[in-house]
């Protein structure tokens, strides 16, 4: 698609609710990989407790939060604001992940409000969308994802989108290359300025399937869960990303 070569690849690891202080040795290993792949962006989303420490040793690796509140401060016990993530050293925040949509009842309007909050704090939101297995079987995947985009995306630029079919997350199942290409093309066609938006695929990305997925023209990177918990497998996924243009 036109404009493709202007989009950098982004490989993002989502640690979810995993990781203690000793896990940060991972950052040192990934920092070395990042130094050898300056053509792409590498992002790690550790649990909130590790963000500040991770950011201090990250080098060129960028750090993300896994969620933020819609407000920047206030009486919201247990929540974290975009300003706080930025202050701790994050550059991005994952929003609307299907686990948050399911576990915390987050709906798309809330995701949009969080995205606006993130943008105003100077963070890049990574906005997740994706259909369930039943929705794909029913042939409504594009309808569902189209609605999620319409309701979740802020009316400002500066976000990243991650297409994550819910049935592929943490299951070992991945969408076929044809289905990924078709959905990414669809998403790009629906998003304002779509040819410039970084568009990631997520759902059981592993070293064995990364090269095929990351070679699809409309795929600008991956959001990786399980395989981002070990430096060796995350590094192998990074290495599988094609070099789009010299750094
Ligand atoms: C995710 O958590 O966003 C994800 C894609 O997980 P996994 O790679 O484990 O499927």
């Amino acid at each position: 698609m036109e404009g493709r070569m202007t989009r950098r690849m982004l490989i993002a690891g989502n640690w979810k609710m995993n990781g203690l202080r000793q896990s940060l040795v991972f950052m040192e290993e990934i920092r070395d990989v990042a130094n050898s792949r300056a053509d792409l962006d590498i992002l790690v989303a550790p649990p909130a407790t590790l963000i500040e420490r991770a950011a201090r040793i990250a080098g060129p690796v960028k750090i993300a939060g896994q969620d933020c509140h819609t407000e920047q401060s206030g009486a919201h016990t247990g929540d974290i604001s975009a300003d706080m993530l930025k202050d701790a050293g994050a550059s991005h925040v994952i929003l609307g992940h299907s686990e948050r949509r399911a576990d915390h009842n987050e709906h798309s309007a809330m995701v949009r409000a969080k995205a606006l909050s993130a943008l105003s704090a100077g963070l890049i939101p990574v906005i997740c969308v994706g259909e369930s297995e039943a929705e794909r079987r029913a042939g409504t995947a594009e309808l569902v994802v189209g609605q999620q985009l319409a309701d979740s995306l802020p009316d400002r630029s500066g976000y990243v989108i991650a297409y994550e079919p819910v049935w592929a997350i943490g299951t070992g199942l991945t969408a076929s290359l044809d289905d990924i290409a078709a959905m990414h093309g669809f998403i790009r066609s629906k998003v304002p300025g779509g040819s410039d938006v970084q568009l990631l695929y997520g759902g059981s990305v592993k070293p064995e399937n990364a090269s095929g997925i990351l070679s699809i023209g409309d795929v600008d990177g991956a959001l990786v869960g399980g395989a981002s918990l070990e430096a060796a497998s995350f590094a192998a996924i990074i290495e599988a990303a094609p070099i789009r243009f010299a750094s």
Side-chain angles (χ1 to χ4, degrees):
M1 174 173 278
E2 207 181 331
R4 169 163 101 82
M5 300 310 282
T6 65
R7 300 188 306 266
R8 281 170 71 83
M9 297 288 282
L10 170 64
I11 308 296
N14 174 14
W15 288 11
K16 311 190 184 190
M17 198 172 70
N18 295 292
L20 300 173
R21 197 181 309 193
Q22 59 265 32
S23 314
L24 290 173
V25 68
F26 172 102
M27 294 302 301
E28 286 156 27
E29 295 177 57
I30 294 304
R31 199 175 54 198
D32 291 343
V33 180
N35 281 328
S36 70
R37 284 300 305 264
D39 58 295
L40 49 73
D41 294 325
I42 300 170
L43 182 67
V44 173
T49 48
L50 294 180
I51 286 177
E52 184 154 13
R53 280 198 191 94
R56 259 193 252 128
I57 57 170
V61 178
K62 297 172 194 294
I63 301 296
Q66 298 178 12
D67 177 49
C68 71
H69 197 271
T70 56
E71 304 293 328
Q72 301 298 9
S73 62
H76 302 289
T77 302
D79 279 314
I80 292 186
S81 74
D83 268 351
M84 291 168 179
L85 293 174
K86 178 83 178 167
D87 186 50
S91 57
H92 292 61
V93 59
I94 298 170
L95 294 175
H97 190 283
S98 63
E99 288 154 12
R100 292 217 49 99
R101 289 180 188 259
D103 295 354
H104 299 272
N105 233 351
E106 282 192 13
H107 47 80
S108 294
M110 201 183 290
V111 174
R112 189 211 302 262
K114 290 181 176 201
L116 283 167
S117 186
L119 286 166
S120 67
L123 293 179
I124 299 172
V126 179
I127 300 172
C128 303
V129 294
E131 80 286 356
S132 68
E133 187 175 14
E135 289 161 343
R136 175 151 288 269
R137 282 226 190 99
T140 58
E142 285 192 354
L143 201 70
V144 169
V145 169
Q147 196 59 52
Q148 287 176 341
L149 291 169
D151 296 342
S152 305
L153 297 183
D155 55 1
R156 285 171 55 186
S157 59
Y159 49 78
V160 173
I161 298 174
Y163 167 57
E164 300 207 297
V166 178
W167 49 272
I169 295 178
T171 59
L173 302 171
T174 43
S176 72
L177 299 186
D178 283 349
D179 285 345
I180 296 172
M183 184 59 89
H184 277 232
F186 169 76
I187 292 173
R188 234 177 250 301
S189 74
K190 290 285 164 197
V191 172
S195 59
D196 293 327
V197 173
Q198 252 178 342
L199 180 46
L200 315 182
Y201 169 78
S204 298
V205 177
K206 308 264 180 261
E208 310 83 68
N209 60 23
S211 161
I213 293 169
L214 295 172
S215 298
I216 298 172
D218 271 323
V219 172
D220 303 319
L223 180 52
V224 185
S228 76
L229 295 176
E230 299 288 337
S233 50
F234 193 51
I237 292 169
I238 295 165
E239 296 299 356
I243 297 175
R244 281 200 169 159
F245 39 76
S247 48

